Amino acid sequence: MTDTPFSDESDSQGPRAGTMARQQAIYTAGMSGQKPAVPVDYAALEAAAEQRMSREAFAYIAGGAGRESTMSANRRAFERWRIVPRMLRNVDRRDTAIELFGRRLNQPFVLCPIGVLEMAHGEADMAVARAAAARGVPMLFSNQASRPMEDCVAAMDAVAPGAPRWFQLYWSKSDALVESLVSRAEACGCEALVVTLDTTLLGWRSRDLDMAHLPFLLGQGIAQYTSDPVFRESLAGTDDSGPRPKITTRTLRNVLAAARHYPGSSLRALTSGEALAAVRQFIATYSRPNITWADLAWLRERTRLPIVLKGVLDGADAKLAVEHGVDGLIVSNHGGRQVDGARASLDALPEIKAAAPDLPVILDSGIRGGADVFKALALGATAVGLGRPYAYGLALAGENGVGEVLDNLAADFELTMALAGCADIAAVRAGETRLVRDETIAG
Ligand code: FNR
């Protein structure tokens, strides 16, 4: 392989083969007229996924809070930083590996927790689990997953035993449920506990509101609850007061859907009333808006796992996190789904890194390509979290679709890093390649 445009010595000798092979595979398939089924370009990926999903599913995944200004701020923040590539720096051997919570990862990214993946594809979390495990990319099991974490773990271990997995917790009103979820996560071999702080209440999601559609009411995205012994036990005493929908054929269809989503016999779930009780109980207890920093000590006593706080956007909160002994932070605005008008997550990163210099800091919200990963690492992130792009890959082609999105990001990042003049992540972090501000892009 010395006379093709893909010739690249480091692919066979470097720490990890595959980046150039990815380009080569795509271009070679193109020789026989084949185009990637999962588009490489993010806008094309989103458009193709939209075609494949129901209107409700696409709205749920693509949408944000209010006028969605936080989503556009996330992208503008990345665009404002420009990379200043350095030349003649020997990038023949490249290494994109990092270490995170004692584990070596080949790429500096994790899969963000995304709930209700069944809206994107029937195999939902299971397909994501297999794709992530095959590549050694940590999967963050969502508290709102469509499949129980134990099922995902079995799927992952069948592909690559011990593949990295973390659990994301929404802090429920029920202490007993929190304890149960945490102990299940430990038993599943999760390597970190991510506590999402920004969703103590559900954001004002315009697209979902205009469709009057919330998947949880159909029994979707509550598999971690309906598979939980403590949650199931709590159903006996549920309160069935509260607003009730008008009964129409649509109501009946939705009640049947909730029963179908409940574990075991759907008929039993329907006639016993358990499926609807589960939905009601979930709505009543899934979040606890009165948690405060002081409550973290309670959680600390109940787990030996590293505790990572997700949703931190202020340096003052990062300082508090350090004072309360947490082990890591995820700088995130939940992909613009919670506070319309919130600051871009990338804009918060330098301040948060300065306030918590010794903690691993992961950045999500707006990662769409390799250059975004590069910029986040150069601004102090230990790793980044990938969100919507993998959900779209899932919608288009299940496990393979998620895999393609991950492989594309890995290749894109490695090439960006090399072409910018950095052979490894240490060089990116050390600022060997500068970022400059493009002042023409408004904040
Ligand atoms: C999310 N996110 C999320 N976060 C979390 O902690 N628990 C969850 O269950 C979910 N569910 C969820 C569903 C959907 C459809 C989306 C798009 C996002 C937020 C997610 O983890 C991450 O912060 C964002 O996706 C990052 O933004 P981008 O890059 O996807 O725009």
Side-chain angles (χ1 to χ4, degrees):
M1 276 244 315
T2 51
D3 56 354
T4 80
F6 308 110
S7 167
D8 185 304
E9 289 294 307
S10 73
D11 251 21
S12 51
Q13 297 171 6
R16 194 175 56 80
T19 299
M20 298 306 290
R22 178 90 195 128
Q23 263 187 340
Q24 182 172 15
I26 293 174
Y27 290 132
T28 306
M31 300 286 285
S32 15
Q34 245 179 298
K35 302 232 170 67
V38 176
V40 170
D41 172 70
Y42 180 73
L45 173 70
E46 185 173 53
E50 181 174 11
Q51 295 297 312
R52 196 63 67 83
M53 281 185 270
S54 70
R55 285 176 62 225
E56 287 83 1
F58 182 72
Y60 185 73
I61 294 173
R67 298 186 64 208
E68 303 189 339
S69 72
T70 304
M71 285 166 60
S72 39
N74 283 339
R75 283 308 310 159
R76 269 203 317 280
F78 281 101
E79 292 310 325
R80 262 200 311 277
W81 287 110
R82 313 305 307 170
I83 300 165
V84 186
R86 300 295 307 275
M87 300 298 133
L88 298 174
R89 292 178 54 86
N90 187 2
V91 290
D92 187 33
R93 294 176 65 86
R94 303 174 295 274
D95 187 355
T96 57
I98 60 159
E99 217 188 276
L100 193 52
F101 297 125
R103 155 96 72 165
R104 186 187 146 91
L105 304 175
N106 283 335
Q107 286 96 24
F109 44 82
V110 304
L111 290 183
C112 291
I114 292 197
V116 211
L117 284 172
E118 68 205 276
M119 296 186 81
H121 191 276
E123 289 178 28
D125 310 83
M126 305 291 276
V128 177
R130 285 192 289 266
R135 290 159 182 81
V137 175
M139 175 173 179
L140 276 57
F141 301 141
S142 163
N143 207 147
Q144 299 312 130
S146 294
R147 300 294 178 89
M149 60 184 112
E150 290 80 4
D151 292 7
C152 289
V153 163
M156 293 176 97
D157 286 344
V159 174
R165 77 272 325 230
W166 304 4
F167 177 67
Q168 174 263 318
L169 176 79
Y170 280 133
W171 200 314
S172 154
K173 287 193 181 73
S174 158
D175 286 351
L177 177 61
V178 172
E179 285 179 324
S180 179
L181 288 167
V182 169
S183 69
R184 286 170 62 194
E186 288 185 351
C188 279
C190 291
E191 294 171 5
L193 180 67
V194 174
V195 186
T196 298
L197 304 178
D198 57 21
T199 312
T200 46
L201 303 160
L202 190 68
W204 182 252
R205 312 244 172 104
S206 322
R207 300 194 207 195
D208 298 337
L209 288 162
D210 276 337
M211 289 191 187
H213 174 259
L214 186 66
F216 311 113
L217 296 185
L218 309 177
Q220 297 179 329
I222 60 171
Q224 309 291 20
Y225 301 81
T226 55
S227 59
D228 191 278
V230 169
F231 181 83
R232 304 257 317 230
E233 216 165 276
S234 73
L235 294 183
T238 53
D239 166 16
D240 70 351
S241 58
R244 285 175 178 281
K246 212 165 89 196
I247 303 292
T248 63
T249 47
R250 173 61 78 95
T251 327
L252 296 176
R253 225 183 314 142
N254 289 341
V255 169
L256 285 174
R260 253 199 330 274
H261 280 90
Y262 200 73
S265 146
S266 306
L267 185 64
R268 210 191 67 77
L270 188 67
T271 51
S272 67
E274 239 176 83
L276 285 186
V279 170
R280 266 197 309 270
Q281 179 72 340
F282 159 72
I283 298 291
T285 59
Y286 88 94
S287 89
R288 233 189 86 187
N290 67 354
I291 48 168
T292 67
W293 290 97
D295 293 305
L296 287 173
W298 180 91
L299 193 62
R300 180 72 288 166
E301 276 168 23
R302 279 158 183 81
T303 184
R304 52 182 170 72
L305 296 178
I307 294 178
V308 179
L309 301 183
K310 177 170 184 278
V312 173
L313 288 171
D314 191 315
D317 281 344
K319 259 204 187 93
L320 283 166
V322 172
E323 284 163 26
H324 287 82
V326 308
D327 304 285
L329 297 172
I330 302 185
V331 182
S332 167
N333 55 33
H334 213 104
R337 298 164 71 78
Q338 285 299 102
V339 176
D340 189 24
R343 82 192 296 194
S345 127
L346 190 72
D347 285 342
L349 176 63
E351 170 184 319
I352 285 173
K353 190 63 201 169
D358 301 327
L359 292 189
V361 172
I362 297 170
L363 179 288
D364 80 27
S365 299
I367 296 289
R368 301 292 178 257
D372 303 333
V373 182
F374 185 93
K375 291 173 188 178
L377 297 190
L379 289 170
T382 311
V384 302
L386 187 67
R388 289 183 175 97
Y390 86 80
Y392 294 144
L394 174 69
L396 284 171
E399 176 187 345
N400 287 341
V402 177
E404 296 222 357
V405 168
L406 286 172
D407 292 344
N408 289 342
L409 186 67
D412 185 4
F413 170 63
E414 185 176 327
L415 287 174
T416 303
M417 182 180 89
L419 292 169
C422 294
D424 57 27
I425 304 283
V428 179
R429 291 210 181 109
E432 290 183 15
T433 294
R434 273 185 308 140
L435 298 185
V436 291
R437 300 279 275 187
D438 180 345
E439 302 298 347
T440 63
I441 297 178

